[in-house]
Amino acid sequence: MVEEMASNDSPDEDFSLFSAADLADRLPIPFEELFRTIVELSPDPVGVLDDKGNFLLVNGMALRLHGLSGPQEILGKNLRKFLLLQDRDRLNSDLQDALQAGHLRGLEYTLLKGDGNPICVDLSVSVISGSGRPHVFVVVLNDVSKVKSMERELRDYATTLEELVAERTGQLEVEKNRVQELLELKTQFVNQLSHDLRTPLTPIITMLPMLGERLHDEKERKWFNLISRNVNYINNLAQSTLALARLDSNTVSFDLKEVSLRKVVDIVLDNNKTSLENASIKPVKEVPGDISVMADELRLLEVLNNLVSNAIKYAPGGTLSFSARADSGMAVVSVADTGAGIAKENLPGLFTEFYKADPSRHEMSSGLGLAICRRIVERHGGRIWVESGGLGKGTRVSFTLPLA
């Protein structure tokens, strides 16, 4: 037989083309014995059914799956007996489909073990038929109970998670509405407070200069200057608080148009020329003439005036540099001074309302300037940040705006 195979013109002969009889002639042991051996050695639970669905042969794995002690408890019995009632009628239909197709896979059944406990199995069926012999079904059963249990748990977890998310979403919606109400109340309060403060301040601010002209005593002038500074501080605080509240309420509209950065910087320097000279601050302008941004010019002036005002307060006797560059569709604008600088631990809080890095040197400051700058820059779609090497090493404030 070996010589006959060796002399075959097709060395890659496909044994799947042999009939059972041809294969039996070539095997050194009886086909039935080989078949039984293959079934018994299979790592999966395997059973052989006759054309009626009765067990003809099972391996040890199938007995363990059924929870049976020996083959006598299953041989000759119909597979239907080991299934739940609702699955039994479906078995006949599935076996007929397998007979027509030759095999079927992925059939899910609930199997009753010997002790009556159900397990979920995945059933695969193949049909073997011989010349003049009744066909038989080879069934492979895999226990998928753990998988199904995990799937159920996952579904339960998913359902629970969805319920928790829905519940939390509802709570967040309630909290969001409450926060919105509080913000509206805060805006109303700030507006009313600012109005109530400005009403008595207006005549005081108007009258103070006339009063000052009549004072000649040095001690009286000292007290007068103290009153003037505090009145102006209260007025500035009221104005800044109102401006911040309006920006937060989104009731302020921005008139966006193409604005030349160099032109705006020139206006700011011209407006603050006297104050810069009095503080002995030398301005340095490094703003290219070809950089324009989409911005509300008045709001941009407000941002730069705030930054210049800070430099005048905290960086006297140094330089104040303005620079700008284009980067990925945005203009990066920087205002840097050589003044007192800011400690690293104070940088994160600088844009918080009423924050003062050093209360002793911010005595007459509202602590709202940078907060207002942030609101304005963010309304333009940009961002703003502060850098400093530490105390005594100056400060750089940079912000971005969309290029025109």
Side-chain angles (χ1 to χ4, degrees):
M1 179 163 47
V2 175
E3 293 177 357
E4 182 181 346
M5 291 177 63
S7 64
N8 194 299
D9 292 335
S10 180
D12 297 326
E13 190 172 17
D14 188 354
F15 281 82
S16 65
L17 299 178
F18 293 159
S19 67
D22 293 333
L23 186 58
D25 290 341
R26 294 168 178 257
L27 293 172
I29 59 175
F31 183 80
E32 181 178 353
E33 183 180 343
L34 175 63
F35 182 73
R36 286 179 177 274
T37 302
I38 292 174
V39 169
E40 183 57 40
L41 293 177
S42 172
D44 295 316
V46 178
V48 180
L49 311 178
D50 63 17
D51 57 348
K52 305 297 183 183
N54 299 314
F55 280 100
L56 299 175
L57 178 65
V58 292
N59 66 357
M61 295 298 294
L63 291 175
R64 280 191 284 275
L65 178 67
H66 283 78
L68 303 176
S69 58
Q72 70 279 1
E73 298 182 67
I74 193 172
L75 294 180
K77 295 179 181 178
N78 199 286
L79 176 57
R80 287 164 49 88
K81 177 182 177 182
F82 299 94
L83 302 177
L84 285 181
L85 288 174
Q86 59 264 36
D87 287 348
R88 292 179 181 178
D89 291 338
R90 185 160 58 90
L91 177 64
N92 290 336
S93 175
D94 285 341
L95 291 179
Q96 289 302 313
D97 291 342
L99 184 59
Q100 294 180 6
H103 65 272
L104 283 180
R105 295 177 181 174
L107 304 173
E108 289 188 4
Y109 282 91
T110 301
L111 189 72
L112 294 174
K113 298 179 67 174
D115 57 7
N117 289 323
I119 59 172
C120 188
V121 295
D122 179 89
L123 189 71
S124 297
V125 184
S126 295
V127 181
I128 298 179
S129 59
S131 177
R133 297 181 181 180
H135 61 266
V136 295
F137 299 101
V138 178
V139 295
V140 179
L141 306 97
N142 286 306
D143 185 356
V144 292
S145 298
K146 290 184 179 179
V147 174
K148 293 299 177 182
S149 177
M150 292 177 64
E151 289 177 352
R152 285 193 298 271
E153 289 181 6
L154 286 174
R155 284 195 296 269
D156 291 342
Y157 288 147
T159 301
T160 302
L161 182 59
E162 289 174 359
E163 292 173 351
L164 289 173
V165 169
E167 179 183 355
R168 187 57 182 151
T169 300
Q171 294 174 350
L172 289 174
E173 188 65 26
V174 172
E175 292 172 5
K176 172 188 171 184
N177 293 336
R178 178 57 180 161
V179 169
Q180 189 62 38
E181 291 175 2
L182 292 174
L183 288 174
E184 291 175 1
L185 288 173
K186 172 195 142 184
T187 301
Q188 294 174 11
F189 171 76
V190 169
N191 288 339
Q192 187 62 46
L193 179 62
S194 297
H195 176 270
D196 292 344
L197 284 173
R198 285 184 298 155
T199 299
L201 283 175
T202 300
I204 295 175
I205 293 173
T206 303
M207 297 293 293
L208 276 175
M210 292 185 286
L211 178 60
E213 292 175 358
R214 300 183 180 185
L215 298 177
H216 304 289
D217 182 79
E218 184 177 347
K219 186 175 181 180
E220 290 177 347
R221 294 289 305 177
K222 180 179 178 181
W223 286 110
F224 173 79
N225 290 335
L226 177 62
I227 293 171
S228 295
R229 283 198 304 272
N230 281 277
V231 168
N232 288 327
Y233 167 72
I234 295 173
N235 183 57
N236 178 60
L237 179 61
Q239 297 285 0
S240 298
T241 302
L242 181 59
L244 188 64
R246 286 175 176 171
L247 287 170
D248 281 339
S249 66
N250 291 325
T251 57
V252 179
S253 60
F254 280 36
D255 181 20
L256 300 180
K257 58 185 179 182
E258 184 174 343
V259 178
S260 167
L261 280 178
R262 176 182 284 182
K263 172 190 170 185
V264 173
V265 170
D266 286 340
I267 293 173
V268 170
L269 290 177
D270 187 56
N271 290 343
N272 292 277
K273 182 178 179 181
T274 301
S275 297
L276 290 170
E277 289 176 351
N278 291 338
S280 301
I281 295 177
K282 177 184 178 182
V284 177
K285 185 174 61 176
E286 299 175 343
V287 180
D290 59 348
I291 297 183
S292 295
V293 295
M294 290 300 297
D296 184 313
E297 184 171 342
L298 291 178
R299 297 297 176 181
L300 180 54
L301 284 168
E302 186 176 357
V303 170
L304 292 173
N305 278 321
N306 264 324
L307 300 181
V308 171
S309 176
N310 285 344
I312 292 171
K313 292 177 185 175
Y314 311 120
T319 60
L320 182 63
S321 303
F322 294 81
S323 62
R325 59 184 174 84
D327 184 13
S328 302
M330 303 292 284
V332 182
V333 185
S334 296
V335 179
D337 63 53
T338 56
I342 302 169
K344 183 178 180 180
E345 61 269 18
N346 290 325
L347 291 175
L350 291 178
F351 295 101
T352 303
E353 297 89 336
F354 304 106
Y355 181 84
K356 298 180 181 182
D358 183 358
S360 63
R361 70 177 188 179
H362 294 79
E363 184 179 353
M364 300 304 291
S365 171
S366 67
L368 293 174
L370 286 179
I372 291 174
C373 290
R374 186 184 71 176
R375 301 295 200 285
I376 294 174
V377 169
E378 290 179 349
R379 284 285 297 274
H380 281 85
R383 66 187 186 92
I384 186 169
W385 65 98
V386 179
E387 300 167 285
S388 177
L391 296 177
K393 297 183 179 180
T395 302
R396 175 185 295 271
V397 180
S398 302
F399 60 92
T400 60
L401 294 173
L403 288 170

